[in-house]
Amino acid sequence: MTDRRRISGPTGGTAPPLLSNLSTSNTSPSLSRTTANLQRIFLKTGLTPSASGSAYLEIEQPSALPRKKSLFSLSPSPLKLTCTVHGPRPLPRTAPFAPNILLSTHVKFAPFAPKGRRGYLRETSEKDLAVHLETALRGAIVGDRWPKSGVEIIVTILEGEEDYWWHENSIRSDDAPHITAASGMMSILAGCINVASAAIVDAGLDCIDIVAGGVAAIVNKTLGPGESDQGLQVILDPNFWEHREILASCIVSYLQSRDEITELWMNGGIPHSFGALSDEQNSITRLIDGAVQAAIAARHVLVEATKEPAEHRLAQQKIMT
């Protein structure tokens, strides 16, 4: 008689799985688009019926990197974000009176979002993203319309980029990619601003304008080992998979109708040995202008994605009245 409380092993012999070796090539992909073109954005609203407003945003992966059909080969990940808006809800009776709406933002990486698995507890980087997101959205929402009320905005990063090229972990040489600015986190923050802005419009919250996020970076034109230094250039909507050296990056949240910046985050530095952009004031101005242009381009996508749901909501309100 067999013991039912014990799980028996397989009758035959087994062998451990053998994973294929990852490529050790340190050749970075080149830029397949012009410096003024943004990556393609997919945006859809109204995906979560239980929430007041919701949106899903996806940015496709760079097409310059060759795709490998191997199951274990690493490739650049597209940026995938979801956002839900809950509220406005009345605050508890014990809460003090608030003349404006209380905005609460929450940003969380899914455990499977990056290449390295994350934990379930919130990390410092996620809290920083939530603070930047709250600052960007607070300047766009008309808060005095909902006194003693609160709204909660939850952004979940289903798939996100890292701040370094993955070959940099395995290859330590002078030709390895050099990322000095947090371009990956800034691209994620810009995606959070855009998807949250679309979800807010879907929820029907009164806003001054659609706030849009844009990123620009100053990169070295050198794309491979052994090539001569060709100076710097400003790239809109950068992706660290397409560049070997990102020196400085900047993100802004921009209200086009009022020509107002509600959030600005800049990181990195520019060596004085480079050419025309070595002047600090000139480079910072061009970097901010590039981020604003990226935000204006992203705003067109937000307007087209939210126009039809907003018109449908207004039509329903007219029928009810």
Side-chain angles (χ1 to χ4, degrees):
M1 181 179 292
T2 60
D3 188 0
R4 297 181 178 179
R5 295 172 298 179
R6 179 176 298 177
I7 300 176
S8 302
T11 56
T14 59
L18 299 178
L19 304 181
S20 61
N21 295 328
L22 296 177
S23 174
T24 57
S25 174
N26 61 345
T27 302
S28 174
S30 59
L31 184 64
S32 60
R33 53 191 173 93
T34 61
T35 59
N37 288 345
L38 275 66
Q39 303 176 80
R40 294 184 180 180
I41 301 175
F42 173 80
L43 183 62
K44 182 69 175 179
T45 59
L47 301 180
T48 307
S50 60
S52 302
S54 60
Y56 170 80
L57 183 142
E58 180 176 349
I59 299 177
E60 69 173 7
Q61 62 182 3
S63 59
L65 188 68
R67 270 67 168 178
K68 296 184 179 181
K69 298 183 179 180
S70 174
L71 179 62
F72 304 102
S73 61
L74 293 180
S75 60
S77 301
L79 182 61
K80 299 178 181 180
L81 306 169
T82 61
C83 179
T84 56
V85 177
H86 303 275
R89 297 173 177 174
L91 297 177
R93 295 183 178 180
T94 57
F97 177 78
N100 297 324
I101 191 171
L102 296 182
L103 179 62
S104 175
T105 57
H106 184 95
V107 179
K108 184 69 179 71
F109 278 88
F112 49 84
K115 299 298 182 183
R117 189 171 181 85
R118 283 179 173 263
Y120 291 94
L121 300 178
R122 294 184 67 192
E123 299 180 1
T124 306
S125 59
E126 297 168 340
K127 296 179 181 179
D128 292 341
L129 288 175
V131 172
H132 286 291
L133 178 61
E134 180 180 356
T135 305
L137 299 178
R138 188 177 297 276
I141 298 177
V142 183
D144 55 358
R145 297 289 180 87
W146 298 276
K148 202 176 182 182
S149 301
V151 61
E152 186 176 8
I153 300 175
I154 302 175
V155 178
T156 303
I157 302 171
L158 301 178
E159 194 169 356
E161 306 162 336
E162 299 290 344
D163 281 335
Y164 52 86
W165 191 38
W166 69 273
H167 281 300
E168 193 176 358
N169 291 340
S170 58
I171 302 174
R172 298 294 180 181
S173 63
D174 295 337
D175 294 333
H178 182 59
I179 306 298
T180 59
S183 59
M185 297 301 292
M186 290 189 176
S187 298
I188 290 176
L189 178 58
C192 291
I193 295 173
N194 293 330
V195 71
S197 179
I200 288 174
V201 175
D202 185 59
L205 298 180
D206 293 340
C207 299
I208 299 174
D209 189 13
I210 297 180
V211 59
V215 187
I218 297 179
V219 302
N220 192 355
K221 291 183 181 179
T222 303
L223 299 177
E227 295 182 2
S228 60
D229 194 358
Q230 301 177 6
L232 302 179
Q233 61 180 352
V234 177
I235 300 292
L236 304 187
D237 194 16
N239 192 306
F240 64 94
W241 289 93
E242 299 175 330
H243 310 285
R244 293 193 58 84
E245 191 171 12
I246 299 179
L247 301 177
S249 56
C250 173
I251 175 176
V252 299
S253 59
Y254 184 67
L255 298 174
Q256 185 177 6
S257 62
R258 305 185 65 174
D259 193 17
E260 180 180 344
I261 294 177
T262 60
E263 172 67 7
L264 188 145
W265 179 22
M266 188 178 299
N267 195 4
I270 306 169
H272 293 285
S273 58
F274 289 101
L277 288 177
S278 60
D279 181 68
E280 183 177 359
Q281 184 177 0
N282 183 31
S283 60
I284 292 176
T285 302
R286 292 189 59 181
L287 189 60
I288 296 176
D289 292 341
V292 170
Q293 293 300 322
I296 293 175
R299 184 182 182 275
H300 293 300
V301 179
L302 292 174
V303 171
E304 292 298 327
T306 57
K307 180 186 298 184
E308 184 177 355
E311 292 177 352
H312 180 67
R313 186 184 301 107
L314 291 176
Q316 287 184 342
Q317 291 178 359
K318 291 182 180 178
I319 294 175
M320 294 177 61
T321 56

